[in-house]
Amino acid sequence: MSSKPIRITVWNEGIHEQRDAAIAKLYPAGIHGAIAAGLRGYGFEVRTATLGEPEHGLSADTLAATDVLTWWGHQAHGQVSDMVVERVQRRVLDGMGLIVLHSAHHSKIFKRLMGTSCDLKWREADDKERLWVVEPGHPIAEGLGEYVELERDEMYGERFDIPQPDALVFISWFSGGEVFRSGCCFTRGRGKIFYFRPGHETYPTYHNPQVIRVIANAARWAAPVQGLTPYFGNAKALE
């Protein structure tokens, strides 16, 4: 196993923090800054990228040097370049891990990889959220108790229009009565994908140590493993 640290790129639109003083106060370094700071505490090599940078901060060189990409978006899904989305998709299919956070369920990259609308129910009403660990032996649940509780966050409810996950790690219950598949694992090509629900911009979710722990666990799980690169096309007989 390689002793080199896992290389993570934390991507964020970076728009809410510029337009809303309350969100800027909550996340003075941006949502990406809060996530990155938490992940550095786990020994990862972390860089950040935002929508407003050239190529959204996701050049071919940056992605080539990324083992796991985290993605947070909300207001500007449509502003993400299709060229960049295709570039990210190719890297995922080639083995880069992808962690999709909260409202990035509607991001171009997640919808493209899922092949569905990724629609859901939602409500902003200070609901309590309890994320039940339903697969306690999964690496993403390492170090957690039976559940993670958030006093306030946006509600997401079923039906969540996604393909059947390869594994379901968390199911959320909300104080309004809804439930939601909030920790979903997928494989596309050689790449692993994890969707993690919490993280509305008006709440301090990414300052919660348990939330950061889940993202850190997911990064370790999603990081590519060394192995033979498959080849395709015409092949000579072995015998």
Side-chain angles (χ1 to χ4, degrees), residues 124-210:
E124 293 182 42
D126 289 349
D127 280 88
K128 176 186 288 188
E129 178 178 9
R130 188 171 294 138
L131 295 101
W132 287 97
V133 178
V134 294
E135 199 62 60
H138 197 282
I140 293 176
E142 182 182 352
L144 301 177
E146 282 193 311
Y147 59 85
V148 174
E149 188 159 296
L150 303 175
E151 284 301 316
R152 294 183 302 137
D153 209 328
E154 182 180 18
M155 184 281 294
Y156 279 6
E158 295 288 345
R159 162 127 176 108
F160 187 15
D161 186 24
I162 54 172
Q164 183 73 19
D166 298 336
L168 181 62
V169 184
F170 303 105
I171 293 177
S172 286
W173 166 88
F174 293 89
S175 51
E178 294 84 4
V179 295
F180 189 77
R181 290 169 290 164
S182 51
C184 304
C185 301
F186 305 90
T187 302
R188 294 293 183 271
R190 297 171 64 201
K192 296 178 181 178
I193 302 164
F194 181 60
Y195 173 78
F196 189 43
R197 196 220 71 85
H200 190 62
E201 65 275 2
T202 59
Y203 301 106
T205 305
Y206 295 119
H207 296 301
N208 184 302
Q210 289 184 295

Side-chain angles (χ1 to χ4, degrees), residues 39-151:
L39 292 177
R40 288 189 183 105
Y42 283 86
F44 300 117
E45 181 182 311
V46 185
R47 72 173 78 189
T48 63
T50 58
L51 179 70
E53 297 175 43
E55 299 181 81
H56 311 322
L58 299 175
S59 67
D61 287 344
T62 294
L63 290 174
T66 298
D67 297 315
V68 178
L69 175 65
T70 75
W71 192 286
W72 194 99
H74 187 196
Q75 288 188 331
H77 299 310
Q79 295 179 34
V80 176
S81 162
D82 289 338
M83 178 183 68
V84 171
V85 174
E86 290 169 5
R87 186 183 296 159
V88 172
Q89 181 185 23
R90 285 196 300 270
R91 280 289 292 125
V92 171
L93 296 177
D94 196 39
M96 182 183 73
L98 178 65
I99 301 174
V100 179
L101 299 170
H102 190 61
S103 46
H105 69 89
H106 264 164
S107 63
K108 286 183 177 180
I109 183 59
F110 189 59
K111 291 169 72 173
R112 177 175 293 199
L113 289 164
M114 294 298 103
T116 57
S117 73
C118 300
D119 285 340
L120 47 78
K121 297 182 179 71
W122 61 274
R123 177 177 62 248
E124 293 182 42
D126 289 349
D127 280 88
K128 176 186 288 188
E129 178 178 9
R130 188 171 294 138
L131 295 101
W132 287 97
V133 178
V134 294
E135 199 62 60
H138 197 282
I140 293 176
E142 182 182 352
L144 301 177
E146 282 193 311
Y147 59 85
V148 174
E149 188 159 296
L150 303 175
E151 284 301 316

Side-chain angles (χ1 to χ4, degrees), residues 200-237:
H200 190 62
E201 65 275 2
T202 59
Y203 301 106
T205 305
Y206 295 119
H207 296 301
N208 184 302
Q210 289 184 295
V211 169
I212 294 298
R213 176 156 199 157
V214 171
I215 298 172
N217 288 347
R220 292 193 189 99
W221 169 81
V225 295
Q226 293 183 347
L228 182 68
T229 300
Y231 74 92
F232 306 95
N234 185 265
K236 295 180 180 180

